[in-house]
Amino acid sequence: MTDEAGPWLVVGLGNPGREYAGNRHNVGFMVAELLAGRLGGKFGRHKRAMAEVAEGRLGFGGPKLVLMKPLTYMNLSGGPVVALAQFHKIPPGRVIAVHDELDIPYGQLRVKCGGGEGGHNGLRSMSKSLGTKDYVRVRFGIGRPPGRQDPADFVLSDFSAVERKELEFLVDRAADVVESVVTRGVEPTQNLYHGG
């Protein structure tokens, strides 16, 4: 998995608009923004896709990353992803979706390639538009909603004050996981980060 095969597309999943910025559902945007900062890239509106896009290389002469934040709402994310993947000629196997995950405790990160969408509308839209589920997912655990709160309301609420104390560190770690997938591959990244 080196740069010889071309760039990688990193999709930060979230909803556009200031009112959603701090939501659990927008953690993908947060990771994409941090990665853009690391690469020295700035997000700007793309001419071919309904998305904000930033580009850069990992290290000097390293793999090229195309970072995107779809500007559609979560359940329509697939369209911009396909448009950008086609524009850059990036196959699904080099697409990484960064998203919130209800089925993983808060603070845990998991990586997998393919599999189901677990009811996540952003992933469902991506799988449908790409015509495959065989892309990489970096899953950011947000845990289950407390009590009887509807999961749909939970993901669209902001992180709690307690969660926010760790959030910056966890977003940073999630960005490390994305970089590891690109430079090392999925399995070595799982071995490295699935310990906790």
Side-chain angles (χ1 to χ4, degrees):
M1 288 197 185
T2 61
D3 195 34
E4 289 147 25
W8 288 77
L9 178 59
V10 179
V11 183
L13 287 174
N15 286 309
R18 194 173 295 162
E19 69 272 32
Y20 297 107
N23 288 182
R24 292 176 174 89
H25 223 22
N26 269 42
V27 76
F29 274 21
M30 297 173 196
V31 175
E33 285 160 7
L34 181 69
L35 280 166
R38 286 186 183 182
L39 301 179
K42 275 205 181 343
F43 276 100
R45 184 68 191 266
H46 197 269
K47 60 182 183 280
R48 296 277 181 87
M50 275 272 299
E52 286 194 352
V53 177
E55 297 179 19
R57 288 192 177 273
L58 273 182
F60 182 71
K64 181 182 177 182
L65 299 189
V66 179
L67 309 169
M68 75 175 290
K69 298 186 294 179
L71 291 175
T72 54
Y73 287 93
M74 185 68 86
N75 58 349
L76 298 172
S77 302
V81 171
V82 166
L84 210 54
Q86 288 175 345
F87 181 81
H88 287 281
K89 299 179 173 58
I90 299 172
R94 294 177 77 82
V95 173
I96 302 172
V98 185
H99 65 92
D100 57 305
E101 176 61 69
L102 285 162
D103 293 325
I104 297 174
Y106 179 71
Q108 290 188 16
L109 298 163
R110 294 288 180 267
V111 182
K112 71 174 185 174
C113 189
E117 290 96 8
H120 196 290
N121 290 332
L123 294 178
R124 193 177 289 147
S125 177
M126 279 183 63
S127 297
K128 187 176 177 189
S129 296
L130 288 167
T132 181
K133 296 180 180 188
D134 294 332
Y135 53 90
V136 180
R137 298 97 184 275
V138 172
R139 306 156 76 206
F140 189 110
I142 60 168
R144 303 298 302 181
R148 300 185 137 185
Q149 186 179 5
D150 182 353
D153 293 334
F154 179 68
V155 298
L156 291 175
S157 63
D158 286 358
F159 287 99
S160 70
V162 172
E163 289 170 333
R164 280 198 300 272
K165 286 178 183 168
E166 276 191 285
L167 186 59
E168 199 176 318
F169 164 76
L170 295 170
V171 168
D172 194 64
R173 191 168 163 87
D176 291 345
V177 170
V178 171
E179 291 188 7
S180 177
V181 168
V182 171
T183 57
R184 295 185 180 97
V186 171
E187 263 190 64
T189 301
Q190 291 170 334
N191 295 336
L192 202 57
Y193 287 95
H194 283 199

